[in-house]
Amino acid sequence: MIDKVIKSIADDMNRFLKTKHDITEDKVVPSHVMNADGTVAIQEVDKVVMTLVNIEPERIQSNNTKYVRNQKGNYVKEKPSVNVNLVIMFSAYFSNENYLEGLKFISSIIAYFQSNSGVLTSQNIPSLSENADRLIAELISLDSTNLGNVWSLLGGKYMPSALYRFKAVSIRHDLPTMPTPMIRKA
């Protein structure tokens, strides 16, 4: 689910950036900043790297188990979804000669969310519908110490970036359960 949500957002951002800047290439690339061996993960420069930084549990969620009726008329226990928030960093991985261009694209990433009022739905991103009904994008501000800690965790050197929290992605997988027969009054 998380992979599909990230791909949906990246695809829609690329559509937005192509229209806004009259370009043909994809600029947003979902990827690590650094590989596990310490090498740079993206070989092409002049890209905005979209990196999942953290998965947080949604603090406000319902744990109510409910029963739903199946095709045979029996009731089966439906387990509640697990709702998580995704923290995603958008980093300008641009060459030194294109530093200002990188800042322009980070500004455009922020403009993308502003143009959607920070709300991503299946109406503005059709491919999102199968993975999330609605995501709320919230720009996160970190002080220099915490920002340095994030970049240390990612294994990279600081690049101009914007950090967003996406609330809430539902993760669900229903395993077959034994049906509960309907109790009928005699």
Side-chain angles (χ1 to χ4, degrees), residues 25-37:
E25 69 175 308
D26 286 348
K27 285 291 187 181
V28 177
V29 179
S31 175
H32 298 286
V33 174
M34 303 295 287
N35 290 319
D37 64 4

Side-chain angles (χ1 to χ4, degrees), residues 41-153:
I42 300 291
Q43 298 307 309
E44 286 183 80
V45 292
D46 299 342
K47 299 289 184 183
V48 174
V49 182
M50 180 181 184
T51 306
L52 179 64
V53 174
N54 197 12
I55 301 170
E56 306 170 337
E58 174 61 38
R59 291 178 191 2
I60 304 170
Q61 66 181 350
S62 172
N63 287 328
N64 296 339
T65 300
K66 61 182 178 178
Y67 290 86
V68 294
R69 193 176 216 164
N70 65 13
Q71 295 90 352
K72 296 179 181 178
N74 294 322
Y75 286 89
V76 290
K77 189 185 222 181
E78 183 179 84
K79 294 179 180 153
S81 300
V82 174
N83 295 324
V84 296
N85 299 326
L86 306 179
V87 178
I88 298 176
M89 181 177 279
F90 299 91
S91 311
Y93 182 60
F94 282 71
S95 64
N96 288 338
E97 303 82 45
N98 289 335
Y99 178 77
L100 293 176
E101 188 79 359
L103 296 178
K104 176 176 86 174
F105 277 96
I106 289 296
S107 297
S108 293
I109 296 297
I110 295 168
Y112 168 82
F113 292 113
Q114 180 274 330
S115 70
N116 290 311
S117 301
V119 180
L120 306 177
T121 66
S122 56
Q123 282 76 36
N124 43 359
I125 305 176
S127 62
L128 200 58
S129 63
E130 63 193 51
N131 306 303
D133 296 331
R134 180 176 193 228
L135 294 174
I136 308 294
E138 170 187 288
L139 183 62
I140 300 173
S141 174
L142 297 178
D143 62 31
S144 58
T145 301
N146 287 328
L147 188 58
N149 290 340
V150 168
W151 278 101
S152 292
L153 287 171

